[in-house]
Amino acid sequence: MAVPFFAEHLANIQSIRATLCSAPDYPVPEKLRIVNQTLTLGSVSVVPFESVGIRVEPTVVGLTHHDTCLWDFKLTTRQSLQTQGDLPAVWSARDLKDTKQIVCRACQQSLAEAPVFQSKDLPSEHWYELVECWICHETKPEEHRARMQPIGARQDMILVGTTYLLLHPDNTKHLQVDEARLRNVNWDQGLQTRWLPVHCQQCGADIGEGQYKRDENGTPALLASKLYKYAVSIPSQTSCPVFMDFLTHDLVSAAKAHATYRFLIQGRKDNKTYALMWLFNWDTNIIYNHGFQDGGSAVHHKRGKDRNAKRGRS
């Protein structure tokens, strides 16, 4: 059995807060050591830190005894082998190189086609808010505002956002706008263009959003489509990201850009609130083994096999 171990890696302050469990009479202060980047208890390997991309200083700090078998302590980390940057991109522009077709994941109906799509990554969703921070050499802010326009769809090109693919209407087909939402739009007020939900024409699955504008005859015309990555499939891709991948990206992105940590999860059609989410410690890594689950101890573990530590996000 594994030595029960659980820790939080706080990369921003280069610290690890850890807890382990030992036999009640085991001399933990004398036996707990860092040897070759591995936490050991006597002759037992508890956690090989390099296997989870962390390097630690060889000193255990603040060792505190709780109850009969629990011990808390801290470690100081060096620069991580794996950085705490943005979440890894799912279906980046490089991944979508030479794509020819995009289909509905629910029914495999073709939604977008081209002889060969070019693909480019879009900037952060929040780039437009920071324009005035980037362009600071002009006398008047309005001098550059007229030139800064939202990024539009381009024919035969996939513009790749974090959670969606932006496509030109000449490349899309079998998309159906949400008629109920369309009827409720007041085109005489507000913006000239509106993003409205679109569905797969064949199966009715929610696919993404369409950008619409009234033409000269008063008929809404499609300017661009955002196809949600989790709602479509690409025949040339072996992996299919799921909804939770993109929910996580959205939450972390909002937290970084706006210091927003509370979210309402609402239904798209009924606007009903289904959940209130508070985002805590989104940049904290968890390091653990199955020792607490197994109920193992250091004494029992001497006769067992080491288990690799696992790492994840809270």
Side-chain angles (χ1 to χ4, degrees):
M1 293 185 179
V3 173
F5 176 85
F6 179 88
E8 291 181 331
H9 176 212
L10 308 175
N12 57 333
I13 59 174
Q14 295 185 307
S15 177
I16 292 177
R17 299 185 303 196
T19 299
L20 63 75
C21 181
S22 70
D25 56 349
Y26 194 79
V28 172
E30 292 79 22
K31 298 294 185 178
L32 189 64
R33 296 287 184 270
I34 302 293
V35 179
N36 296 326
Q37 293 300 311
T38 297
L39 181 68
T40 63
L41 190 62
S43 60
V44 179
S45 171
V46 180
V47 177
F49 285 109
E50 286 190 334
S51 70
V52 290
I54 297 173
R55 293 184 62 83
V56 298
E57 298 293 342
T59 304
V60 176
V61 180
L63 186 63
T64 306
H65 192 202
H66 297 280
D67 298 326
T68 58
C69 61
L70 292 179
W71 295 81
D72 291 343
F73 57 94
K74 295 181 180 179
L75 299 170
T76 301
T77 63
R78 302 173 184 174
Q79 185 175 2
S80 298
L81 301 180
Q82 299 174 359
T83 60
Q84 287 285 328
D86 294 333
L87 292 173
V90 181
W91 282 0
S92 66
R94 177 179 295 182
D95 297 329
L96 302 185
K97 182 181 179 181
D98 298 331
T99 294
K100 298 180 180 180
Q101 186 183 42
I102 301 172
V103 302
C104 172
R105 188 175 298 189
C107 69
Q108 303 303 306
Q109 173 68 274
S110 178
L111 302 175
E113 293 180 351
V116 175
F117 280 110
Q118 298 182 56
S119 57
K120 290 186 178 180
D121 287 316
L122 288 169
S124 163
E125 294 296 304
H126 312 286
W127 72 272
Y128 202 72
E129 303 169 20
L130 299 175
V131 166
E132 292 186 8
C133 297
W134 296 340
I135 304 176
C136 56
H137 59 276
E138 293 174 309
T139 305
K140 299 179 181 179
E142 57 269 19
E143 292 180 7
H144 66 261
R145 286 177 182 167
R147 298 196 296 270
M148 298 303 299
Q149 299 296 328
I151 299 172
R154 304 175 187 178
Q155 189 173 3
D156 294 338
M157 180 176 290
I158 302 174
L159 297 178
V160 184
T162 303
T163 60
Y164 63 86
L165 308 174
L166 184 65
L167 294 158
H168 193 274
D170 288 348
N171 295 115
T172 57
K173 57 183 180 179
H174 302 138
L175 299 180
Q176 179 67 48
V177 66
D178 187 319
E179 295 292 343
R181 293 287 295 274
L182 181 61
R183 287 193 298 269
N184 291 331
V185 174
N186 185 347
W187 294 100
D188 297 324
Q189 295 182 358
L191 300 174
Q192 294 182 347
T193 63
R194 307 294 173 89
W195 286 98
L196 301 173
V198 294
H199 314 297
C200 172
Q201 198 172 56
Q202 177 166 291
C203 69
D206 292 334
I207 291 297
E209 302 173 55
Q211 185 182 32
Y212 288 87
K213 181 179 180 179
R214 280 200 306 182
D215 59 20
E216 297 176 353
N217 300 321
T219 303
L222 181 63
L223 302 180
S225 297
K226 289 181 180 179
L227 302 186
Y228 300 141
K229 291 180 182 179
Y230 63 82
V232 299
S233 296
I234 298 176
S236 60
Q237 294 295 313
T238 57
S239 63
C240 282
V242 297
F243 173 76
M244 288 304 299
D245 293 332
F246 302 108
L247 177 61
T248 303
H249 275 82
D250 271 350
L251 296 179
V252 173
S253 176
K256 287 184 175 182
H258 301 298
T260 298
Y261 305 105
R262 292 189 293 177
F263 302 89
L264 289 176
I265 307 300
Q266 296 180 320
R268 177 186 298 173
K269 295 181 179 179
D270 57 12
N271 290 325
K272 180 181 177 181
T273 299
Y274 289 91
L276 170 63
M277 295 183 62
W278 285 33
L279 188 62
F280 292 107
N281 297 336
W282 54 268
D283 57 350
T284 300
N285 279 327
I286 301 301
I287 308 168
Y288 65 96
N289 58 23
H290 292 290
F292 283 105
Q293 178 180 331
D294 293 340
S297 68
V299 174
H300 294 154
H301 182 64
K302 289 181 180 179
R303 296 191 295 270
K305 294 182 179 179
D306 290 347
R307 295 194 181 193
N308 291 330
K310 295 187 178 181
R311 190 182 190 192
R313 290 186 182 271
S314 63

